[in-house]
Amino acid sequence: MVMDGLGDRAVEELGWKTPLQAARRPNLNWYAENGANGLVDMIGPGIRPGSDTSHLAILGYDPRKVYTGRGPFEAAGTGVVGKKGDVAFRCNFATVDKNMLVADRRAGRIKEPDTTELVTAFDHLMIDDITITVKPATEHRAVLLLQGPGLSPHITDVDPHDEANVHEAKPMSPEAAKTAKVVNEFVRLSYQKLDAHPVNQRRKREGKPVANILLPRGGGVFPDIQPFPEKYGMSGSCIAGVSLIKGICRVCGLDIIEVEGATGGKDTDMKAKARAAIEELKRKDFVLMNVKAADITSHDGDAKAKVEVIERIDAMVGELRAGLGEEVVVAFVADHCTPIEMKDHSGDPVPLMIYCKGIVKDPVKQYDEGSAGQGSLSRIRGMDILPILIDKAGRAEKYGA
Ligand code: ZN
Ligand code: ZN
């Protein structure tokens, strides 16, 4: 179980405790007392992880080898998974005038069902020998997938990131010339297809900004990732509300389990997630569950809300404790620290707890950033977590005779 952005630094408002230390957390502490504890540098000491790179590490992949940028993982979060060499971009639906001047980068924060209807304009689209797929993502966002020979993600952004003229994609290396040409043609076509679209005519009548162009940015190539079931000989599932986490897990070959009420927001139904994980473990060898809420309160800089969220997470942990069989190896970890003070991710290590039948208890009695380092797992890298869990589960192959 990954508690997103759970780790923190000492906060003055909380009497120089971390939100985790300030929260009532009987269930997490029960696990800490009965399990083995340690600290994790998700990527390396002092490296500030994104949620994407940290989840790759937790799944035992070296982010420095397989992370190719946010685009492909974001695309996979919406269900668009390309093969090695395919290129994905994040896009915004935006409003432009006739001179390609951006009036609204988010087209009035357009969302479903308008975006879902608009993307049908790109069904069965090919530009030269490249197959084009467009899928709506959250709110005004969409993803663009290019599939075909000779693609490269190394082009400049079309999105001007401001109310300025739409940029022309330029290749940053000679190999990217074809991709830049295809993307520029796609942007031109998007204006042509969307400006006159019935959804936009309706929006005009309703006085809403039209979404008459798609602006790609942040391209990335789909990496060559050995699927999780092949790499470990285990079936696996992911339970997460956040699209990017689903994308990471989908690219790694995990099944995505949708849980009603699991939104990835502060209002997410955590206990429903816990029940789903318990059920899923009856069918699968491995489940990764992500709970996002603590990270959101940190980005908001709201210490009190973070303490409350942690207490709700603890209640969910109680649900897991009651429902998981003794054959299950349980691990609790944060994917990174998100200090309230920084409102962003830091490179601090995060607490890890591993519990299973027969585990040798260490002296740690509480689950938090300060206590975990006194545990028997001491200080490891994110990539080390899964091999340890596999060994605890009796699934590790012997190295040597
Ligand atoms: Zn995260
Ligand atoms: Zn975050």
Side-chain angles (χ1 to χ4, degrees):
M1 175 170 155
V2 184
M3 296 168 280
D4 211 302
L6 177 79
D8 213 301
R9 292 177 178 168
V11 180
E12 183 171 14
E13 189 189 340
L14 303 174
W16 297 111
K17 287 179 176 178
T18 68
L20 185 54
Q21 289 169 333
R24 231 184 66 80
R25 53 191 196 292
N27 293 302
L28 284 166
N29 286 345
W30 182 89
Y31 273 111
E33 186 167 0
N34 290 284
N37 300 270
L39 287 172
V40 181
D41 292 299
M42 225 16 106
I43 314 293
I47 308 290
R48 299 171 53 217
S51 292
D52 41 14
T53 50
S54 63
H55 278 74
L56 283 169
I58 289 167
L59 292 171
Y61 295 90
D62 185 348
R64 289 191 162 115
K65 291 198 177 122
V66 300
Y67 185 66
T68 49
R70 196 166 159 170
F73 298 106
E74 197 89 36
T78 70
V80 176
V81 184
K83 295 188 302 294
K84 181 193 171 193
D86 293 344
V87 172
F89 295 87
R90 306 162 71 199
C91 294
N92 269 13
F93 277 102
T95 312
V96 289
D97 68 13
K98 283 191 185 62
N99 303 316
M100 293 294 122
L101 184 73
V102 177
D104 185 343
R105 258 192 87 230
R106 300 181 180 89
R109 290 202 176 267
I110 187 173
K111 53 182 191 295
E112 288 180 283
D114 285 4
T115 49
T116 319
E117 215 175 308
L118 285 172
V119 298
T120 59
F122 305 99
D123 283 354
H124 314 294
L125 179 64
M126 287 199 68
I127 298 175
D128 300 335
D129 56 352
I130 301 298
T131 308
I132 309 288
T133 308
V134 185
K135 266 256 194 166
T138 335
E139 295 182 336
H140 55 277
R141 299 176 192 96
V143 296
L144 165 67
L145 176 69
L146 307 184
Q147 295 182 285
L151 293 168
S152 158
H154 300 122
I155 62 166
T156 57
D157 288 353
V158 170
D159 185 347
H161 297 272
D162 205 350
E163 285 170 8
N165 271 309
V166 172
H167 291 167
E168 193 182 329
K170 294 202 177 72
M172 293 191 276
S173 63
E175 309 82 70
K178 176 176 175 178
T179 311
K181 180 175 166 272
V182 170
V183 165
N184 287 325
E185 177 63 8
F186 168 76
V187 173
R188 196 187 64 74
L189 276 172
S190 78
Y191 179 73
Q192 198 184 327
K193 286 173 181 287
L194 296 178
D195 194 49
H197 197 283
V199 167
N200 277 328
Q201 286 173 1
R202 198 201 69 232
R203 286 178 69 86
K204 234 178 243 171
R205 284 197 301 277
E206 291 168 355
K208 292 177 183 164
V210 294
N212 60 358
I213 200 162
L214 276 162
L215 301 177
R217 68 177 192 280
V221 65
F222 271 91
D224 188 12
I225 282 190
Q226 188 184 16
F228 185 95
E230 192 186 302
K231 187 172 164 76
Y232 299 113
M234 295 196 291
S235 58
S237 297
C238 157
I239 297 174
V242 182
S243 181
L244 182 63
I245 307 297
K246 290 183 200 175
I248 293 282
C249 290
R250 196 173 266 137
V251 171
C252 293
L254 298 181
D255 294 329
I256 310 300
I257 307 303
E258 300 291 350
V259 178
E260 188 133 2
T263 57
K266 278 187 277 190
D267 59 346
T268 193
D269 187 348
M270 293 185 197
K271 286 194 175 173
K273 272 188 179 170
R275 286 191 296 272
I278 292 164
E279 272 312 300
E280 194 60 13
L281 279 166
K282 292 174 184 164
R283 292 184 289 269
K284 296 282 178 58
D285 300 319
F286 172 84
V287 172
L288 181 145
M289 178 165 50
N290 171 284
V291 182
K292 183 72 182 168
D295 189 55
I296 299 169
T297 54
S298 269
H299 283 288
D300 291 345
D302 190 341
K304 291 223 168 66
K306 189 165 183 179
V307 172
E308 275 170 38
V309 159
I310 294 168
E311 292 182 348
R312 279 174 55 214
I313 291 176
D314 190 80
M316 173 210 204
V317 170
E319 197 99 350
L320 288 173
R321 196 180 137 190
L324 290 174
E326 63 169 17
E327 75 286 0
V328 179
V329 178
V330 186
F332 294 114
V333 72
D335 59 343
H336 47 75
C337 289
T338 313
I340 292 283
E341 189 67 33
M342 277 176 74
K343 297 186 182 173
D344 205 345
H345 307 177
S346 73
D348 299 302
V350 292
L352 167 70
M353 187 300 305
I354 295 176
Y355 171 79
C356 63
K357 194 180 167 190
I359 190 115
V360 179
K361 290 193 209 178
D362 60 27
V364 175
K365 303 249 180 291
Q366 297 193 318
Y367 183 77
D368 64 59
E369 303 88 336
S371 311
Q374 299 155 32
S376 56
L377 297 170
S378 61
R379 189 157 173 166
I380 62 175
R381 294 174 311 163
M383 274 174 66
D384 298 327
I385 298 173
L386 201 62
I388 295 173
L389 300 185
I390 288 172
D391 179 47
K392 296 282 184 227
R395 289 171 163 273
E397 272 180 41
K398 194 193 280 181
Y399 178 61

